[in-house]
């Protein structure tokens, strides 16, 4: 069999991808250098778990090498001040804000009705006669409501005799007014943050497809961290497989920030982050937070020697602790 088909009994060579350092020494040691190039890296964690801080540090390292990156912000949660404080060159970062109205267009609707001011309108001609000198409606219509108007003028409190002695006032019961309930119309839709995020997710996925097909971006960050897991989990698995194939072809590092694992086997590297206790140092001011990272899946690693020793070799730790400092405490 080996003579007829040489490749039948030959194992396939394992692909070792190029990595880019994240800028955090402890994480680079665990990941054997950094995040892989040409693959999808999924960072899973809750709020304040450090996924955004790790992504900012990675993008800062890429922009320092004079490369272009893209940040697809689904929930409009990225702070440019924090990105600049992390060392990112904002001139080399494309920030895509999903579900945000442009500045030139108002939030309501572009189809506004035009109303001419009254000062530019000619006043109507004065009509004479009982009912307009023959130009008005029929006299019968002019007397409608006259009896009600006269009876309103002849109320008891109006025609009652007045004297110096205080009179007892009759309190008139007022009609109860129902509270007004706001009903949003079609012309004035709700804010994208209050409605369901289907449109923003669809826009983010389309933008990611366009950027991967266009090429030229060394790193693309798809921030879905602020979207609930029940919405993100409905994205088809074929989408992540297509992103992984396109990233391998264009040699782009795709970072996926989520709260729940959704890329499955399409991701080349899966990291789980957890938030730790805060540390203040010697002062009472908050300096930063303790973080913990765990490698759940890593496909592209170096192959060890083919010789299997009798004793078990020491295993490399798959987790590490790191600290993310605040902006006023300085760069990490």
């Amino acid at each position: 069999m080996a003579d007829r088909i040489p490749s039948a009994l030959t194992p396939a060579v394992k692909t070792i991808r190029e990595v880019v350092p994240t800028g955090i020494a402890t994480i680079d040691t665990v990941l054997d250098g950094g995040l892989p190039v040409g693959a999808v890296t999924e960072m899973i964690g809750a709020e304040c778990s450090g996924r955004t801080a790790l992504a900012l540090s990675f993008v800062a390292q890429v922009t320092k090498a004079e490369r272009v990156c893209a940040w697809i912000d689904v929930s409009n949660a990225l702070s440019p001040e924090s990105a600049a404080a992390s060392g990112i060159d904002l001139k080399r970062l494309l920030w895509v804000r999903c579900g945000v109205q442009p500045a030139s267009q108002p939030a309501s609707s572009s189809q506004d009705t035009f109303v001419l001011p009254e000062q530019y309108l000619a006043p109507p001609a004065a009509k004479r006669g009982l009912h307009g000198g023959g130009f008005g409606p029929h006299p019968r219509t002019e007397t409608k409501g006259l009896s009600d108007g006269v009876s309103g003028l002849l109320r008891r409190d109006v025609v009652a005799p007045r004297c110096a002695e205080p009179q007892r006032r009759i309190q008139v019961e007022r009609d109860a007014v129902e509270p007004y309930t706001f009903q949003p119309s079609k012309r004035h839709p709700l804010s994208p943050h209050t409605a369901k995020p289907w449109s923003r997710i669809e826009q983010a996925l389309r933008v990611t497809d366009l950027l991967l097909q266009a090429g030229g971006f060394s790193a693309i960050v798809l921030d879905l961290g602020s979207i609930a897991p029940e919405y993100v989990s409905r994205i088809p698995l074929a989408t992540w497989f297509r992103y992984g194939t396109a990233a391998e072809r264009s040699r782009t590092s795709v970072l996926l920030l989520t709260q729940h694992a959704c890329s499955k086997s399409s991701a080349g590297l899966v990291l789980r982050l957890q938030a730790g206790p805060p540390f203040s140092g010697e002062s009472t001011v908050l300096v930063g937070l303790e973080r913990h990272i765990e490698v759940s899946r890593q496909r592209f690693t170096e192959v060890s020697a083919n010789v299997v020793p009798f004793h078990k070799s020491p295993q490399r730790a798959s987790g590490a602790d790191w600290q993310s400092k605040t902006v006023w405490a300085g760069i990490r």
Side-chain angles (χ1 to χ4, degrees):
M1 181 65 72
D3 296 336
R4 291 184 179 181
I5 308 176
S7 60
L9 302 178
T10 304
V13 180
K14 190 173 183 179
T15 305
I16 305 300
R17 296 189 181 276
E18 181 184 356
V19 295
V20 177
T22 61
I24 304 175
T26 56
I27 297 180
D28 293 339
T29 303
V30 174
L31 299 179
D32 295 332
L35 303 182
V37 177
V40 177
T41 301
E42 185 175 7
M43 301 181 184
I44 308 170
E47 296 291 340
C48 300
S49 60
R51 57 172 185 256
T52 305
L54 179 57
L56 290 175
S57 179
F58 175 76
V59 173
Q61 298 298 319
V62 177
T63 54
K64 286 180 181 178
E66 298 183 355
R67 299 178 182 178
V68 183
C69 303
W71 191 290
I72 304 175
D73 194 0
V74 182
S75 302
N76 193 20
L78 178 64
S79 174
E81 293 81 4
S82 300
S86 300
I88 297 179
D89 186 4
L90 298 181
K91 297 181 180 179
R92 300 183 179 274
L93 179 64
L94 174 62
W95 183 20
V96 181
R97 304 167 63 188
C98 301
V100 178
Q101 297 289 343
S104 59
Q105 182 180 1
S108 58
S109 176
S110 59
Q111 300 178 357
D112 295 333
T113 57
F114 175 75
V115 179
L116 191 65
E118 296 182 359
Q119 57 182 346
Y120 298 103
L121 298 177
K127 297 181 181 180
R128 299 179 181 178
L130 179 62
H131 52 85
F135 299 96
H138 197 272
R140 187 187 310 161
T141 60
E142 296 184 0
T143 59
K144 288 184 177 180
L146 183 61
S147 59
D148 298 337
V150 174
S151 63
L153 295 176
L154 300 178
R155 295 196 308 269
R156 181 179 299 179
D157 55 345
V158 176
V159 300
R162 301 180 181 180
C163 59
E165 297 179 1
Q167 302 292 329
R168 181 180 180 183
R169 297 183 179 180
I170 302 176
Q171 296 183 357
V172 181
E173 296 183 359
R174 299 182 179 179
D175 298 336
V177 180
E178 297 293 335
Y180 176 72
T181 305
F182 175 74
Q183 298 292 340
S185 60
K186 296 182 179 180
R187 291 186 55 189
H188 304 277
L190 293 175
S191 175
H193 296 281
T194 58
K196 291 185 178 181
W198 295 120
S199 59
R200 289 181 286 149
I201 294 177
E202 184 179 0
Q203 182 182 2
L205 297 179
R206 289 183 179 180
V207 170
T208 307
D209 276 326
L210 292 176
L211 296 181
L212 287 175
Q213 293 175 8
F217 293 91
S218 299
I220 298 177
V221 180
L222 179 57
D223 190 2
L224 296 172
S226 300
I227 305 299
E230 55 266 21
Y231 299 122
V232 182
S233 59
R234 296 184 182 182
I235 300 177
L237 295 178
T239 303
W240 311 121
F241 180 78
R242 184 173 67 253
Y243 288 172
T245 306
E248 183 179 1
R249 182 177 61 255
S250 60
R251 294 183 56 81
T252 304
S253 299
V254 179
L255 274 66
L256 179 60
L257 310 183
T258 58
Q259 298 182 17
H260 179 73
C262 57
S263 62
K264 306 301 180 183
S265 60
S266 301
L269 177 63
V270 178
L271 303 176
R272 292 187 178 274
L273 295 93
Q274 298 178 359
F279 65 95
S280 58
E282 299 179 355
S283 61
T284 57
V285 181
L286 178 64
V287 178
L289 294 174
E290 296 282 350
R291 314 286 188 179
H292 179 75
I293 186 172
E294 189 74 21
V295 181
S296 299
R297 179 186 178 88
Q298 190 174 10
R299 295 176 56 186
F300 312 106
T301 55
E302 296 183 0
V303 183
S304 58
N306 295 329
V307 179
V308 180
F310 290 101
H311 63 278
K312 185 177 181 180
S313 58
Q315 301 294 327
R316 180 175 57 87
S318 60
D321 296 331
W322 58 289
Q323 298 176 352
S324 61
K325 297 183 179 180
T326 55
V327 178
W328 53 82
I331 306 299
R332 61 177 64 83

